[in-house]
Amino acid sequence: MAVPLTRAARGPSGAPRPRRTAPPWPGLALVAGGVAAAWGVHRLLPAVPLLTAAIVLGLLVAHLPRAGGFTRGRGRPGLSLAGRRFMRLGVVLLGLELSLAEVLDLGWATAAMVLGVVVATFFGTIWLGRRVGLTGDQPLLVATGYSICGASAIGAVSEVRRSDERDVAASVALVTLCGTLAIAVLPLLHQPLGLGDAEFGRWVGAGVHDVGQVVATAQTAGQEALGEAVLVKLMRVVLLAPLVAVLAAAVARRRFAAAAGPEEAGAGGAAGGGPAPRRPPLVPLFVAGFLASAALRTTGVLPEGLLEGAATLREGLLAAALFGLGSGVFLPSLARTGWRMAAVGSGSWVVIAGLSYVGVLLTA
């Protein structure tokens, strides 16, 4: 039985009043403060990447007694807006890091190695995630983050899939944690594994998740290692666009079929003789922006000062997005699948590190 609306809930004509949407400004103000605090942590402790500090601070704020209620209530619209919109803008600017000419200079052997590592890690992680019982989009998101480019790739895929915020935040937290651990662990394996500086750089570029984490890890072996690492890493970033395009096509096809109905979808019509449902774009706008940014960078017309400013803006946008995502993680509810996430993360890390090492040796 429907509950009748009160007089206050109805307009002058008796029609229901529209629900007011909470403004995003309170949450965005908290995001701005969180990014500033993360930047301060990074300045005081340069070994802590800005993006890592941002998501950790978001997690902390979500669990403070009074702030936690704000992040789940009045501040949620702004925090969610940052997690979605700012992540898209950050992905677009990520394309400015990518010079296709430099990537092609690495040669087909390295390209084949990178593609093989990405494909094996992606499908292997999805398989493992489903085997251990991860729910929702978590297997896909973790696989994307590990195989391509960390939080940026997770954000891009989650936009296409419209993933649950908790799945996104948990996946970002896991990938960020493992990528941060790589900064400390991989340099210790440089000499024991018998890798030269260039080989170590390629191994880091093929096996570490986020661009910033790749830089922090590879620079411990010098400029040659750093250059090789960044180029190999950017080759992985190239694969973000086709992956998102394929997922977008699959999602669009499913939604179109669901809207049209099983019989009408095959005939191209809509149920009840109405107009056919509109197909969503196969390539999301922010992915097209990513490709356009990469093409623009490849032309070489952009001055270094502009590229440096864009990189700073990109870091700020991604930090804001990760703070917003981190604030949506509530650890007591996450603890139910915590061991599963840890198992998938550890397994995927071993796979990508091992395959990358073998690939580097074969292409040396």
Side-chain angles (χ1 to χ4, degrees):
M1 178 177 176
V3 179
L5 295 173
T6 64
R7 181 174 299 178
R10 294 181 179 274
S13 63
R17 293 182 186 273
R19 291 184 179 180
R20 292 184 178 180
T21 303
W25 312 118
L28 290 176
L30 178 60
V31 168
V35 172
W39 181 82
V41 170
H42 176 62
R43 292 281 293 179
L44 290 173
L45 302 170
V48 179
L50 173 63
L51 302 187
T52 300
I55 192 169
V56 169
L57 288 174
L59 285 164
L60 289 176
V61 167
H63 292 82
L64 293 176
R66 297 185 67 178
F70 177 81
T71 61
R72 292 186 290 274
R74 213 167 132 241
R76 194 70 247 155
L79 293 165
S80 296
L81 176 66
R84 294 193 311 271
R85 304 290 184 180
F86 292 178
M87 182 66 77
R88 292 181 186 180
L89 293 174
V91 170
V92 170
L93 292 177
L94 182 63
L96 293 177
E97 297 290 315
L98 184 62
S99 173
L100 299 178
E102 293 178 345
V103 171
L104 292 176
D105 285 342
L106 288 173
W108 292 109
T110 302
M113 180 270 287
V114 171
L115 180 61
V117 169
V118 167
V119 170
T121 303
F122 180 77
F123 287 105
T125 303
I126 289 178
W127 176 84
L128 181 59
R130 289 173 177 167
R131 289 285 293 177
V132 303
L134 288 186
T135 58
D137 281 346
Q138 287 180 353
L140 173 63
L141 296 175
V142 173
T144 303
Y146 271 81
S147 60
I148 296 183
C149 57
S152 302
I154 291 174
V157 169
S158 67
E159 286 296 324
V160 171
R161 296 277 300 182
R162 298 183 184 177
S163 304
D164 185 274
E165 276 191 34
R166 290 168 294 185
D167 288 347
V168 178
S171 303
V172 167
L174 176 67
V175 171
T176 301
L177 173 62
C178 290
T180 303
L181 289 175
I183 299 173
V185 173
L186 296 194
L188 300 178
L189 301 175
H190 180 185
Q191 300 301 332
L193 291 178
L195 296 173
D197 290 346
E199 294 169 340
F200 176 74
R202 287 196 290 273
W203 182 47
V204 170
V208 179
H209 318 316
D210 189 83
V211 175
Q213 295 161 349
V214 166
V215 172
T217 307
Q219 58 86 29
T220 60
Q223 286 300 313
E224 183 182 11
L226 179 58
E228 292 286 327
V230 171
L231 288 178
V232 171
K233 177 60 186 176
L234 293 181
M235 188 175 287
R236 288 168 63 194
V237 175
V238 170
L239 299 175
L240 176 62
L243 171 65
V244 174
V246 169
L247 290 175
V251 170
R253 189 180 302 112
R254 186 171 66 246
R255 289 176 184 160
F256 179 79
E263 296 179 359
E264 291 80 358
R278 184 178 179 183
R279 286 185 182 273
L282 294 183
V283 179
L285 184 60
F286 71 94
V287 176
F290 168 83
L291 292 173
S293 296
L296 187 60
R297 170 63 187 272
T298 304
T299 64
V301 300
L302 299 178
E304 283 299 320
L306 180 61
L307 292 174
E308 291 175 2
T312 301
L313 178 59
R314 185 199 77 235
E315 287 291 291
L317 288 169
L318 291 179
L322 292 181
F323 181 88
L325 289 173
S327 69
V329 177
F330 192 53
L331 291 180
S333 60
L334 182 62
R336 298 171 191 168
T337 58
W339 72 267
R340 296 184 178 92
M341 289 289 282
V344 173
S346 301
S348 185
W349 196 8
V350 169
V351 168
I352 194 168
L355 291 176
S356 301
Y357 177 68
V358 172
V360 166
L361 294 181
L362 291 176
T363 57

